[in-house]
Amino acid sequence: MAGHSKWANIQHRKGRVDAARGKMWSKLSKAIIMAAKSGGGDPMANFRLRKAIDDAKAVSMPKDNIERAIKRGTGELDGGDMEEILYEGYGPGGVAVMCEAMTDNRNRTAPEMKQLFSKFGGNLGNSGCVSYLFDRKGVVVFEDGVDEEQVTMIAMEHGGEDIDHNDDGKLQVTSPPDAFDGLVEAFTDAELAIDYSEVSQVPQTTVDLESDMARKVLSLLQALDDHDDVQNVSTNLNITDEALQEEDA
């Protein structure tokens, strides 16, 4: 889980900073559109939509933007012709990279993904080329100081699988994707402070690279994550503190 949690933490911390400038609103709008499109526009009956709305509110996305995104998803407004696509490829050093995207124009997004992979020393691959190296999992990460015993009990009752601490020392619970909604809802009802939660691609094992190559991978991951259509980026690289420190230097 180390490769997932380290990069996930980077993404979420970055997202909070970017959101202050409005950079994340486009991505959040797409998440709301897809949630409303797949499960209807009532957040009380559509947990995925409710979570997307909560994520948007957490970064001060305006209420009007949220409502327009819901209406686009339900077809009340134009602009809801969105689809989810999984892009797979290889980064520098041959590490596996997966990008979950939402786009209204795959003919635009696919070439842009290919260009980004190539620009940063990687290669966009065919469907299935690296997905076998990952498991799709629900991941819930808690704020510091949460009651670990209570988290464990609720996780056991609602489909949680692994309970551990991530690279930042925060308590983390994983689950099958189909148990994720109920698990997060149970934690929320118990008023347990969640740092973030998502369904994402978790590497089965991680690989190590020397620091120079690892920094090149981080540059690719960052560029992919900055793309407006990309919602999540996953890798099987073991991201070390040394590589992160040198990248920030």
Side-chain angles (χ1 to χ4, degrees):
M1 292 292 291
H4 164 267
S5 57
K6 180 75 74 175
W7 177 246
N9 290 338
I10 295 168
Q11 285 179 295
H12 285 277
R13 285 196 297 268
K14 176 180 178 296
R16 292 179 186 128
V17 173
D18 287 347
R21 304 190 300 266
K23 187 174 177 64
M24 289 293 291
W25 290 355
S26 174
K27 295 188 179 190
L28 291 165
S29 291
K30 290 176 182 179
I32 292 171
I33 289 170
M34 285 304 306
K37 184 177 181 179
S38 63
D42 180 4
M44 298 309 296
N46 181 347
F47 180 84
R48 181 181 179 186
L49 176 60
R50 189 159 78 250
K51 182 181 183 303
I53 292 172
D54 287 343
D55 290 344
K57 289 180 177 178
V59 293
S60 304
M61 186 171 171
K63 181 179 179 181
D64 288 348
N65 294 41
I66 294 172
E67 291 177 350
R68 282 196 298 271
I70 294 172
K71 289 180 179 179
R72 289 190 177 105
T74 58
E76 297 172 69
L77 293 175
D78 292 337
D81 188 16
M82 200 81 59
E83 60 179 323
E84 295 177 286
I85 305 174
L86 183 64
Y87 294 99
E88 307 177 37
Y90 302 92
V95 300
V97 178
M98 308 245 316
C99 295
E100 297 174 77
M102 295 181 185
T103 179
D104 58 0
N105 186 349
R106 65 163 60 208
N107 292 328
R108 180 200 71 238
T109 304
E112 291 176 354
M113 291 293 102
K114 183 176 181 180
Q115 183 181 27
L116 283 175
F117 270 91
S118 178
K119 179 179 179 180
F120 289 90
N123 292 285
L124 182 65
N126 296 322
S127 177
C129 68
V130 299
S131 57
Y132 69 94
L133 299 171
F134 295 79
D135 293 319
R136 189 162 174 78
K137 296 287 186 181
V139 181
V140 184
V141 178
F142 294 89
E143 297 282 4
D144 292 332
V146 74
D147 186 329
E148 187 168 343
E149 183 176 348
Q150 188 179 11
V151 168
T152 301
M153 290 180 60
I154 292 174
M156 292 174 62
E157 293 171 358
H158 292 85
E161 291 180 332
D162 294 324
I163 304 168
D164 205 345
H165 289 84
N166 67 13
D167 289 338
D168 281 357
K170 293 180 180 291
L171 189 64
Q172 174 176 285
V173 177
T174 59
S175 74
D178 58 4
F180 175 74
D181 290 356
L183 188 62
V184 174
E185 195 161 20
F187 288 140
T188 302
D189 289 345
E191 299 183 349
L192 292 164
I194 295 174
D195 183 25
Y196 67 85
S197 60
E198 63 184 4
V199 177
S200 64
Q201 304 290 343
V202 179
Q204 297 166 2
T205 59
T206 58
V207 297
D208 295 310
L209 293 178
E210 53 89 18
S211 59
D212 286 344
M213 190 66 73
R215 289 198 302 275
K216 292 179 180 178
V217 176
L218 287 173
S219 295
L220 169 62
L221 300 180
Q222 191 66 74
L224 293 169
D225 191 50
D226 282 342
H227 192 283
D228 284 346
D229 292 342
V230 174
Q231 296 288 316
N232 287 299
V233 180
S234 303
T235 180
N236 66 347
L237 172 67
N238 177 28
I239 300 174
T240 64
D241 290 335
E242 178 187 7
L244 286 175
Q245 289 167 0
E246 293 182 6
E247 174 73 6
D248 292 337

